[in-house]
Amino acid sequence: MSSPSLEYKQDHWVGRFQAMASPCEILIDSDDQLLAAQLLQAAQDEALRIEHKFSRYRQDNITYQINQSHGQAVEVDEETASLLDYAQQCYELSDGVFDVTSGVLRQAWKFDGSDRIPTQQQIDTLLSNIGWPKISWQRPVIRVPAGMEIDLGGIGKEYAVDRTALLLEQIAPISILVNYGGDLMTTKARRNGQGWIVGVESTAMFKKKKNKTLTKTEFELLQGGIATSGDTRRYLLKNGIRYSHILDPRTGWPAKNAPHSVTVAAGTCTEAGILATLAMLQGKQAEAFLKAQEVRFWCQR
Amino acid sequence: MQLKNKHKPVRRGLALATASLLGVPVVNTANALQPSSEWEVDTSILFYAETDRVSLAEPIIRARKDIGDDQFLTMKLVLDTLTGSSANGAVATGSAQTFTTPSGQGTYTAGANETPLDDSFHDTRVALSGEWERPLGASTRAIFGVNASTEYDYQSIGVSATFNWDFNQKNSTLTAGLAYNADTVNPVGGAPVGFTPMPTFPSVKATQGTGLSKDVGDLIIGWTQILGRKDLMQVNFVYGNESGYLTDPYKILSVVDGTTGDTNSYVYEQRPDSRSRQAFFWRWSHMFEEDVFRISYRYYTDDWGIASNTVDMHYRFEINPRHYLEPHVRYYAQSAADFYHTSLIDGQSYDNASADYRLADMTDTTIGLKYGVSLSNKSEFSIRAEHMLQQADPSQVIGNQSAQDLVPDVTANMLTFNYTLQW
């Protein structure tokens, strides 16, 4: 574990560390260095705790235990139970578009920028191992049939952002911005009554520079969360078609005509993340879907 | 209302689920962002031209600003420039007819077998309105509006309030609104006394003064329902009441011989001093994969005896994500007002009378096509061309009048350019 760095900028402290395969940043609206260091440490601990607990790359956590249970009942802790309840609610709300059992598709889809597209046969085989309703979830006991797995990673980073923000808010009732790899949450308005200036990162911005007035890359985040779902880094390219890493659990294929990235602002980072993912899966209809949700969003096509 | 709910809104359910996951109260999304300048500006210009009659140019600028906390301010400016001729109400005859202008300062003439048109018709109207939209609690939104308009002979000022209440997980919206307008009419040359003869220039008409008032109140009750992912249904009911000076001060009627139908003189029209009306409106919007179909039906009736039915259809073809084409068809049919008379019979007495063809048995057919293009995800340009045909029937054809086209068809063409920009 690398030690976090702390730096003072104009009127706030910026703490940085690495977690969940992303650069993590905590902006602290205070001049108190000791407090900033304490908050940063708490943030890093929390991020690593959540990563450790829910990462599907580890063999010593609850996710591994559930996925290797071969249909045996596994009793889970309170936090995992809450996330499973949440996964179920998201599945129901999205009519099956958001499904934490869809992770097995990664056995066929390797998003490494290459042109290796799986065959339909491969996908069909995996599809029989997908579907939240096939899982028995009776809090606190889960039974996952052999061959199926759950992956809470789809909401893990956003959840970690929200959890960290809540934890830091308890330590110090000041304005703090948590930023894990571009997914953000802020606790409250800053001392000067303003929000944090946040930029929507995008590759498409360059194209639009000609149309100066149409680009709005920066805005002020007073309260709430922002999350981005996109394929700017993780994708496959074949015959000129770009396959997004967001896979549709109903078809086993990436959403067609999805935006390059979708950024959503909502009450919490987790909520924003789900909305961004659901929007990606709407493909061509991403913008229309988000409009119907009456949230602020940015789609890059 | 736009078909913005073709997708199932999941946000509310999701916000609740997330709040429960994190053990926090539901956070109002609206507070998430403080936009420093979220503007939406809509500019359009309409050109309307009736064949041989009135033409109108109408630029509109509308600006909507997100002022934060889910509140919006909208300002709208409309300019109308009207020129051309308008039917004065008298019927065509076999010989030329001369009329005194409304101001009493001159005359104009209609040739034999021509529908008399008053060509002194020029006006510019400026209308300004403002709206403030804000949430009232978690599921109710209120829109408060003010409006004022002025033209040479007409001033209007009004206020309105509309409340939208969402329920059934935002799948249903109940709307209730009230509007009130106080208008003042200052007719050129004064308001003529109904049924008094149009004087022969340079004589002056009898007037009932100027600065006559008109009050208009409207009540609307509406219901919008999302039906699954693809359909949206909307119904509303409007009750309106008008009172005061509802007469058109520039319109006259021909007084004709009851047997020959020949015109003997002209008198000023007079309408009732109150009108109460009801309208029922239904609209269904269906979303296909990308295209959208909208159909609406409206039934209107008032105590002037007018009843009308309107059917309106739009189909929006999404050619590709940037371009769309939208054909439009509208059919309107109304029955005549009780006091509509194409001409009056000499010697008979009437309580009220008007020869305004818009109060006659009438149909109005409009067809149109709109093309829209997204110039970016923040701006859109559209152009719409429409053609309208109005056909009205005379209330009665007497003697020699059968040689005339008493209520000629009116055709009009409309062209609208629209540009919307957000930043």
Side-chain angles (χ1 to χ4, degrees), chain A residues 56-57 100 102-111 126 130 149-154 234 245 247:
Chain A
R56 61 189 158 84
Y57 299 110
V100 291
S102 63
V104 293
L105 285 168
R106 266 189 306 265
Q107 293 168 20
W109 293 93
K110 310 275 185 210
F111 295 101
L126 293 173
I130 293 175
E149 19 177 281
I150 57 148
D151 177 12
L152 298 170
R234 289 185 283 165
H245 82 281
L247 296 164

Side-chain angles (χ1 to χ4, degrees), chain A residues 200-218:
Chain A
V200 176
E201 183 194 4
S202 101
T203 49
M205 286 303 170
F206 297 106
K207 282 191 268 175
K208 289 200 181 151
K209 277 280 146 70
K210 282 173 262 167
N211 261 332
K212 274 179 265 182
T213 54
L214 305 180
T215 323
K216 188 160 187 298
T217 55
E218 290 193 336

